Amino acid sequence: MLLENIFQGEFYAKFLQNPAGTKLHHAYLGGLFQHGVDVTKLAVAMGEQIDGVNLDLIIAGSLLHDIGKVQEISADFGFPYTTSGRFVGHIALTVLIVQKKAEELMTVSIQRLIIKKNLLQKYKKKMIGYQIKYEFPLFVQEK
């Protein structure tokens, strides 16, 4: 339900159109969508090899991990950074988008917290002084 709530309307159209980068990886129209699909395929293939993994969470995390780039990078000529992209960046934008949509759904669950935690985990090395300690492996459901 969270994915359906995020990937709709103008936001979804931009997700399909925008690049994933400005110069290097997937820096072409439609690159963000392609990057999401590529990451999802790899993550699911790896997840299928591990017992107890929640593939729904893997798919959600894979598709959502860079959605802040919809608001960070423009699909205009040259793929310039937007104002919010320059000042906020896609990491924070991603978390804000997921948080807002989850709140709209009134979703309070361990899965929502796991998704947010995993989105931030991807970037913890880039965020000075930010640490997340795991009590259980990524995407593995607690029993």
Side-chain angles (χ1 to χ4, degrees), residues 51-138:
D51 289 334
V53 170
N54 183 327
L55 289 177
D56 289 340
L57 288 175
I58 286 180
I59 292 166
S62 299
L63 290 173
L64 295 174
H65 84 279
D66 270 346
I67 61 166
K69 290 185 177 190
V70 168
Q71 296 176 357
E72 179 187 47
I73 302 169
S74 170
D76 293 342
F77 180 76
F79 307 138
Y81 282 95
T82 64
T83 300
S84 60
R86 285 191 306 275
F87 288 106
V88 179
H90 78 276
I91 298 167
L93 290 169
T94 294
V95 173
L96 291 170
I97 291 164
V98 171
Q99 178 70 33
K100 180 182 178 201
K101 293 297 185 176
E103 286 174 358
E104 288 173 7
L105 292 171
M106 300 294 284
T107 305
V108 179
S109 70
I110 188 67
Q111 290 180 332
R112 177 176 134 193
L113 296 174
I114 291 170
I115 289 170
K116 284 172 54 179
K117 187 176 188 181
N118 290 324
L119 290 171
L120 288 171
Q121 175 66 17
K122 174 187 174 202
Y123 299 104
K124 84 173 194 180
K125 292 179 183 174
K126 294 180 182 179
M127 299 172 78
I128 297 171
Y130 187 82
Q131 272 190 332
I132 298 174
K133 293 186 179 183
Y134 285 97
E135 296 175 6
F136 51 93
L138 291 176

Side-chain angles (χ1 to χ4, degrees), residues 40-55 58-59:
T40 302
K41 285 180 181 178
L42 290 169
V44 167
M46 289 186 283
E48 288 174 338
Q49 304 306 310
I50 304 169
D51 289 334
V53 170
N54 183 327
L55 289 177
I58 286 180
I59 292 166

Side-chain angles (χ1 to χ4, degrees), residues 2-16:
L2 179 63
L3 292 178
E4 292 170 355
N5 198 26
I6 291 174
F7 294 116
Q8 62 178 320
E10 184 181 342
F11 188 88
Y12 181 62
K14 286 183 178 183
F15 178 75
L16 294 177

